[in-house]
């Protein structure tokens, strides 16, 4: 009841200078949101994140070798080679020896699993890398 009386008092009271009459109240136009700049679909990893991924894959590879899991070991070995190739192109002295070792082991595991022609690629790449490292 008190609310109704207070509301009727506000409605019957003359508008003050601070409040414009109800028919002159300006309604702000809805704000149009600015189009957002799309972010890249795949964020570029930093060097620290790359190093962490490489370390994780190497640990996975070593764990798979220790457990005698050939398929998992081969898959992890191939991933190590994929991660080391671009790094060795930039810094051969740091990443060349681990890449050489990974390539030789990849060639060996492919040969042992019967993939004779698949073993040739890593073997040739390892030989080329060894020559480049001797320069």
């Amino acid at each position: 009841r008190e609310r109704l009386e207070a509301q009727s008092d506000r409605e019957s009271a003359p508008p003050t200078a601070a409040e414009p009459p109800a028919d002159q109240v300006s309604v702000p136009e809805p704000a149009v949101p600015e189009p957002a700049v799309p972010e890249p679909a795949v964020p570029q990893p930093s060097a620290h994140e790359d190093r962490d991924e490489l370390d994780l894959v190497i640990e996975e590879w070593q764990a798979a070798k220790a457990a005698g899991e050939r398929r998992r070991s081969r898959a992890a070995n191939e991933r190590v080679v994929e991660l080391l190739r671009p790094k060795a192109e930039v810094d051969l002295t740091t990443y060349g020896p681990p890449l050489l070792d990974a390539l030789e082991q990849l060639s060996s595991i492919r040969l042992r699993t019967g993939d004779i022609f698949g073993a040739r690629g890593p073997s040739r790449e390892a030989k080329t890398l060894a020559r480049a490292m001797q320069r």
Side-chain angles (χ1 to χ4, degrees):
R1 184 174 183 181
E2 292 175 10
R3 287 186 202 160
L4 290 175
E5 289 175 9
Q7 186 178 6
S8 65
D9 287 343
R10 276 186 257 142
E11 290 175 358
S12 63
T16 61
E19 295 178 13
D23 58 342
Q24 296 178 0
V25 176
S26 65
V27 178
E29 294 183 26
V32 177
E34 294 181 22
V37 177
E39 294 184 19
V42 179
Q44 297 296 324
S46 67
H48 181 67
E49 291 171 352
D50 277 349
R51 186 68 183 164
D52 289 340
E53 182 182 3
L54 179 62
D55 290 339
L56 291 173
V57 174
I58 289 173
E59 288 174 10
E60 180 185 339
W61 178 32
Q62 291 171 347
K65 282 192 326 186
E69 298 176 14
R70 291 183 181 174
R71 287 184 183 170
R72 199 175 107 204
S73 175
R74 180 177 172 174
N77 188 346
E78 289 178 0
R79 182 70 180 138
V80 167
V81 169
E82 289 174 8
L83 292 173
L84 283 174
R85 276 184 184 133
K87 294 178 180 297
E89 288 177 6
V90 175
D91 187 5
L92 189 61
T93 57
T94 303
Y95 296 105
L99 178 59
L100 181 65
D101 179 51
L103 285 168
E104 289 172 346
Q105 290 192 28
L106 181 59
S107 175
S108 175
I109 198 167
R110 284 183 178 178
L111 190 61
R112 280 182 286 162
T113 57
D115 189 5
I116 297 170
F117 295 105
R120 287 180 170 178
S123 178
R124 286 182 185 161
E125 188 177 349
K127 288 176 186 175
T128 304
L129 182 64
R131 280 188 228 120
M133 287 174 31
Q134 290 176 354
R135 291 182 193 168

